[in-house]
Amino acid sequence: MRLRLFISLGLGLFSTALTAAPPPDFNAYWNQGKAELTRYTLTQSRYGEQHKGDAVLIFVTEPFSRSKQVKLDDWAGAGRDRVEVLKLNFTKKFLTGIYPYSLMLSVFTPVDSTTGGSRTLKTTMSGQEWCGHAFTQLNLHNGRYRVRGFSYFESEGDEDRTVPAAFLEDELWTRLRLDPQTLPTGEFPVLPGSFASRLLHKPLAVRTAHGEFTEPDATTTTARFGDVPLRAYRLSYADGDHRVLTLYFETTFPHNIAGWDEVWDSGRSGAPAETHATRTATLLTPYWSQHDNSDRPLREKLDLSTER
């Protein structure tokens, strides 16, 4: 498997080898006025079957309001209310039979814990499919997360409550990119991931999980991800669905995520459900300004369809 990495400046496209040395410091990479977009082949378990699709991770730094917990319009005049965050927009798209699923997660984690606090400030998750759509938002306030949820299912919506500010499974992705050493190990309280909670129809509640770093088998990872030094972080839940999430990431800065596996008890004759994602291409580009038809070929560089 050969991964392609593309850097886009305006409309010009340039390619560079994956093995190129990463920038020497954080600011040189994350504050260059571009976002990092990575596309993954997705095999998503749903309704007892495997469904093919796409996943995209979009990482970018941006100025954020500590009080309003939204992106600042007047960031220069925000003063102490401004906090720099690493934002993740995470999308999954796949088909189940006749109808499509579209899921999106956003995570806002402060870059510098001395100015913004060490906890993730906000997450949002939305899901759309032909039965209806759902939305969940978490905001950090006074040491707790306020959970607001809206769903077309009677038993799930609407809700407005608070939960303890435990570690968020959803912030594994941003914290890994900021510094893998900040990921917790051993047993600790955690709020499970928004995607998993949505698809498994489980309310967000603090559970106990176990985190650990592992050294994946080099032969296996090379065949799947290419010849790139990788480590893995595994998050395991001992109770309930016994779900295990494993993230594979590059050992060197900026710790790009090569892929992930997710396995849980499906409740179907003891057969586990499995979801897998494998990176195919990465693009560094100011995508927010590339909204014209002439920019559509950039989707080809990410192995995404140009028709939808």
Side-chain angles (χ1 to χ4, degrees):
M1 191 280 296
R2 183 180 178 184
L3 172 69
R4 294 181 295 156
L5 173 62
F6 295 90
I7 299 179
S8 170
L9 301 172
L11 299 180
L13 296 177
F14 305 88
S15 63
T16 184
L18 176 67
T19 55
D25 60 42
F26 183 92
N27 289 331
Y29 188 79
W30 288 114
N31 294 335
Q32 57 180 306
K34 304 172 192 172
E36 179 196 275
L37 290 69
T38 304
R39 183 263 181 181
Y40 301 79
T41 57
L42 177 69
T43 304
Q44 177 72 47
S45 181
R46 189 73 176 136
Y47 305 122
E49 295 182 317
Q50 300 287 94
H51 306 279
K52 298 295 185 181
D54 302 300
V56 178
L57 297 183
I58 303 169
F59 288 98
V60 65
T61 55
E62 65 182 24
F64 203 65
S65 167
R66 184 184 292 108
S67 60
K68 298 179 181 179
Q69 297 188 1
V70 293
K71 182 179 179 179
L72 285 164
D73 294 328
D74 179 19
W75 57 267
R80 293 176 59 85
D81 189 49
R82 174 181 174 175
V83 56
E84 198 76 8
V85 298
L86 179 63
K87 178 178 73 174
L88 165 64
N89 283 334
F90 180 177
T91 66
K92 287 185 177 184
K93 294 182 182 292
F94 56 94
L95 295 174
T96 56
I98 191 175
Y99 64 96
Y101 266 79
S102 178
L103 304 174
M104 182 170 179
L105 168 70
S106 296
V107 182
F108 304 86
T109 303
V111 168
D112 185 349
S113 62
T114 64
T115 60
S118 60
R119 295 187 183 276
T120 289
L121 297 175
K122 178 180 179 180
T123 70
T124 61
M125 189 284 302
S126 60
Q128 303 84 39
E129 38 95 1
W130 284 5
C131 293
H133 56 96
F135 180 83
T136 303
Q137 178 167 309
L138 275 67
N139 292 89
L140 184 64
H141 182 66
N142 290 336
R144 294 177 67 85
Y145 281 110
R146 181 184 181 187
V147 180
R148 281 169 285 181
F150 305 90
S151 172
Y152 55 90
F153 288 110
E154 179 184 6
S155 61
E156 297 179 354
D158 298 340
E159 64 172 342
D160 188 345
R161 57 191 174 89
T162 63
V163 296
F167 187 88
L168 304 179
E169 178 185 319
D170 288 338
E171 68 183 314
L172 287 177
W173 311 84
T174 48
R175 290 202 174 280
L176 190 155
R177 300 307 307 277
L178 291 169
D179 183 358
Q181 297 307 310
T182 66
L183 299 185
T185 57
E187 287 195 350
F188 58 95
V190 61
L191 280 167
S194 299
F195 283 162
S197 298
R198 168 75 259 152
L199 295 176
L200 297 175
H201 298 288
K202 293 188 175 183
L204 280 173
V206 176
R207 295 171 59 186
T208 298
H210 184 273
E212 62 180 333
F213 290 96
T214 66
E215 302 297 334
D217 178 73
T219 301
T220 302
T221 57
T222 298
R224 179 177 172 186
F225 302 117
D227 190 16
V228 182
L230 298 175
R231 292 194 76 194
Y233 179 84
R234 180 183 297 127
L235 183 72
S236 307
Y237 295 90
D239 61 344
D241 49 34
H242 301 284
R243 190 164 54 89
V244 179
L245 173 65
T246 305
L247 305 181
Y248 302 92
F249 62 96
E250 296 181 13
T251 57
T252 57
F253 180 85
H255 307 295
N256 301 77
I257 297 172
W260 63 90
D261 297 323
E262 192 174 4
V263 182
W264 66 95
D265 182 1
S266 67
R268 297 172 180 264
S269 303
E274 299 185 17
T275 289
H276 307 284
T278 302
R279 177 178 57 184
T280 63
T282 293
L283 184 67
L284 294 173
T285 188
Y287 70 89
W288 48 86
S289 64
Q290 296 165 331
H291 40 61
D292 297 334
N293 285 329
S294 58
D295 298 312
R296 191 164 293 185
L298 291 170
R299 291 182 61 84
E300 295 179 348
K301 300 302 181 180
L302 279 172
D303 295 330
L304 292 170
S305 169
T306 61
E307 301 301 319
R308 52 180 173 82

